[in-house]
Amino acid sequence: RQNATHNPSLYKKPFVESFEETPLLVAVLTYMGYGILTVFGYLRDFLRHWNIEKCHVARERDEQKDFVPLYQDFENFYTRNLYMRIRDNWNRPICSVPGAKMDLVERVTHNYNWTFEHTGKVVKDVINMGSYNYLGFAENTGTCADAAIETTQKYGVGVGSTRSEMGNLDIHEEMEELVARFLGVESSMTFGMGFATNSMNIPALTGKGCLILSDELNHASLVLGARLSGSTIRVFKHNNMQSLEKLLRDAIVHGQPRTHRPWKKILIVVEGIYSMEGSIVRLPEVIALKKRYKAYLYLDEAHSIGALGPGGRGVVDYFGLDPKDVDIMMGTFTKSFGAAGGYIGGKKELIDYLRSYSHSALYATSMSPPVAQQIITSMKIIMGEDGTTLGADRLKQLSENTNYFRRRLREMGFIIYGNDDSPVVPLMLYMPAKIGAFGREMLKRNIGTVVVGFPATPIIESRARFCVSAAHTREMLDTALEAISEVGDLLQLKYSRRE
Amino acid sequence: MNSRGIWLTYLLLTVVLHIVLLSIPFLSVPLVWTLTNVIHNLAMYLFLHTVKGTPFETPDQGKARLLTHWEQMDYGVQFTSSRKFLTISPIVLHILASFYTKYDATHFFINTCSLLTVLIPKLPQLHGVR
Amino acid sequence: YQYLLITGIYALEPWEKSIFNSVLFSAVAMVVYTSYVFV
């Protein structure tokens, strides 16, 4: 019910989003599993404390005991006693581009993942279901790569200064004009790092006496930016418009705490696609609320830009809305353009203001020219300005792959979270041991997957997160689906109680 | 402490504890109930009122590091449903233990002291008090 | 395999698994014995 759409008239197409509830028995067994692992964690800490067991973790020497502790002992309890045991599933070294297929460096451990050794062998052609490569631009051949190589020879790789000083190159300005045109806004500004685009610009937009209404599952960069700004932050339930409206009403009716003065600014901060939930923001309703209560809207399209919408222009394009209704359009070039960095788009006066007040513009070195070129080339391909239909084909391919992949997983009986059109596909695992087992079993079948557990997700919502790409062929998806079904039977993961 | 199924898990764990204790041949029923009550309150005191901080890193710049689990629950808001539940459960256990020990004075004294060790830290007036 | 996954001891080292299994086994044995005697 919580996910039902309350204002269908605002949507031009059906908005189908689902978060099937955790089966109660599975929830109880999950807690029990975490409880058992925690008890053994305490046992291991006890053995380490009395030097019965060798301690591999970094900690102070005896001479340093009287100083302020360098390592927060308890805060690393989970890392030491849970994550360590299954961490061979994470940070796997690859030795190719993170494309539809990739090559993994094989490694072994002789002390239960405390240290690894490379065997010198390479696991070839692993199907990559984990990387953010929605449009398949993570490739070292083709137009993008050639253009980037040419730019490298022309500009070099590094820019030794900031945008406000010597680091403002013509390629940056060309890129910003293209991004503004791509987004359909007046002006845009780009930054060399996606995370910094949020964390360094929100403090330039709001400050004391302002209110930030933030979705509870917003990315850490948004959280950090909001905190750095010094504004008052209030959190609403994930993608829940009733909760957002209630906060808006309270903010306007009661004003600031104690003084009850009206808020200088109210900024609603949401993301286009939530990369851990696979959900898409209810943008038509958010825009309707911001217009009604005269708030500003900051939309982080890190995952949705390039991956959603008939023209690949993100969630605004997906819902067929006017980009001018979104006050601050933010996004990154990491996930769909095979590049790095981020952008902010909006009114010209806003961008001009950010050029003089943003931390990144004043202190960070500018984006590397080959990366800028990669963005320009891939964006032109998406817009069809390269004279081919490659961009449109990839967008269509991504949309088909997404719907096919989600539908098949649901038919197999897995619990899949999120929106039917989201290329991020979370498959629920729940128990802590199944996180490690799933990643290992899938790698045995030559599929690279990303698994996520507590505390990055709620304790009873551990999951595997697949990222579909336009570069995946139907054969690759079928191979992956077959492997997932096999592992799903082996680990008993088909929990869904849907008809 | 609000997520789905955690209260049921807590009750199941308490019942399992009691059954395991009940299965120890040389323990009498009153003793088992007192042991259940004392072990339950000891574990609750340890996990909710002694251990401070979080077993993983949080993005709140270390704010939670000095707070116990009980103080971190529901962001410090008092009288939430979880808090009520975790306050009532030891009381119910104490009533059961008193009944099954036939209100024997010694058991009653031990059970009551044990109950107070988990009730007093839960008082809103003692939030954050050291 | 399901037992290892559901109890979570899949992630433990062999000697920890043995500790867990012996504790669990003795507890279950005691419960069964006492239930038998009781019944």
Side-chain angles (χ1 to χ4, degrees), chain B residues 10 40 44 48-49 70 79-93 115 118-120 122-123:
Chain B
Y10 161 75
H40 163 273
M44 180 177 262
L48 287 186
H49 304 295
W70 177 259
F79 303 116
T80 57
S81 49
S82 304
R83 288 176 187 268
K84 289 175 192 164
F85 172 75
L86 290 169
T87 306
I88 291 168
S89 55
I91 295 168
V92 168
L93 194 57
L115 173 68
V118 289
L119 276 195
I120 291 171
K122 290 188 167 68
L123 295 173

Side-chain angles (χ1 to χ4, degrees), chain A residues 25-132:
Chain A
L25 173 65
V26 173
V28 172
L29 293 176
T30 302
Y31 294 124
M32 193 192 69
Y34 275 105
I36 290 168
L37 290 172
T38 301
V39 168
F40 276 95
Y42 275 109
L43 170 69
R44 296 299 290 267
D45 277 358
F46 171 80
L47 298 179
R48 286 187 203 108
H49 181 73
W50 294 102
N51 293 318
I52 299 167
E53 179 195 342
K54 180 176 180 316
C55 177
H56 299 270
V57 226
R59 60 181 183 177
E60 289 93 352
R61 291 199 309 272
D62 291 339
E63 303 80 27
Q64 295 168 323
K65 287 287 181 214
D66 302 333
F67 290 94
V68 171
L70 287 176
Y71 304 97
Q72 286 303 331
D73 196 34
F74 188 57
E75 256 180 18
N76 295 320
F77 180 89
Y78 264 35
T79 305
R80 229 177 14 247
N81 297 305
L82 265 76
Y83 170 70
M84 223 23 113
R85 296 174 188 276
I86 54 175
R87 74 166 177 157
D88 52 294
N89 289 291
W90 284 274
N91 305 312
R92 286 182 181 140
I94 69 174
C95 49
S96 70
V97 283
K101 290 199 171 186
M102 61 186 172
D103 301 339
L104 284 187
V105 178
E106 190 181 59
R107 58 184 185 177
V108 291
T109 175
H110 304 297
N111 49 12
Y112 301 102
N113 295 339
W114 284 102
T115 59
F116 291 102
E117 284 165 22
H118 290 319
T119 59
K121 278 184 260 165
V122 171
V123 184
K124 304 288 283 181
D125 289 340
V126 176
I127 296 180
N128 181 4
M129 296 306 295
S131 292
Y132 298 138

Side-chain angles (χ1 to χ4, degrees), chain B residues 17 30 37-38 43 59 66 74 77 79 87 93 103 121-122 125 127:
Chain B
L17 168 70
N37 186 45
V38 170
L66 300 177
D74 302 314
V77 175
F79 303 116
T87 306
L93 194 57
Y103 301 103
K122 290 188 167 68
Q125 295 79 359
H127 182 84

Side-chain angles (χ1 to χ4, degrees), chain A residues 21-24 27-28 31-32 38 42 72 74-79 223-224 227 454-455 459-460 497, chain B residues 2-9 12-13 47 51-63 65:
Chain A
E21 216 167 36
T22 309
L24 198 54
V28 172
Y31 294 124
M32 193 192 69
T38 301
Y42 275 109
Q72 286 303 331
F74 188 57
E75 256 180 18
N76 295 320
F77 180 89
Y78 264 35
T79 305
V223 173
L224 179 58
R227 285 216 172 100
F454 181 75
I459 194 165
I460 54 168
R497 292 149 296 174
Chain B
N2 296 321
S3 57
R4 178 176 162 75
I6 198 147
W7 294 7
L8 173 62
T9 308
L12 286 178
L13 278 179
F47 280 111
V51 174
K52 290 188 186 67
T54 51
F56 46 82
E57 289 184 20
T58 48
D60 63 359
Q61 285 91 32
K63 209 179 297 168
R65 201 171 288 162

Side-chain angles (χ1 to χ4, degrees), chain A residues 11 37 45 136 139 141 147 212 237 240 302 315 364 371 404 440 443 477:
Chain A
Y11 294 85
L37 290 172
D45 277 358
E139 47 194 6
T141 55
I212 291 181
K237 288 195 189 69
N240 185 317
V315 73
V371 175
Y404 175 71
R440 290 170 186 161
L443 187 59
L477 291 182

Side-chain angles (χ1 to χ4, degrees), chain B residues 69-113:
Chain B
H69 190 166
W70 177 259
E71 288 159 348
Q72 294 174 45
M73 262 169 57
D74 302 314
Y75 304 103
V77 175
Q78 298 297 325
F79 303 116
T80 57
S81 49
S82 304
R83 288 176 187 268
K84 289 175 192 164
F85 172 75
L86 290 169
T87 306
I88 291 168
S89 55
I91 295 168
V92 168
L93 194 57
H94 177 265
I95 292 168
L96 286 172
S98 305
F99 172 74
Y100 281 101
T101 53
K102 299 183 176 51
Y103 301 103
D104 167 80
T106 315
H107 285 286
F108 186 78
F109 176 73
I110 294 170
N111 287 327
T112 307
C113 293

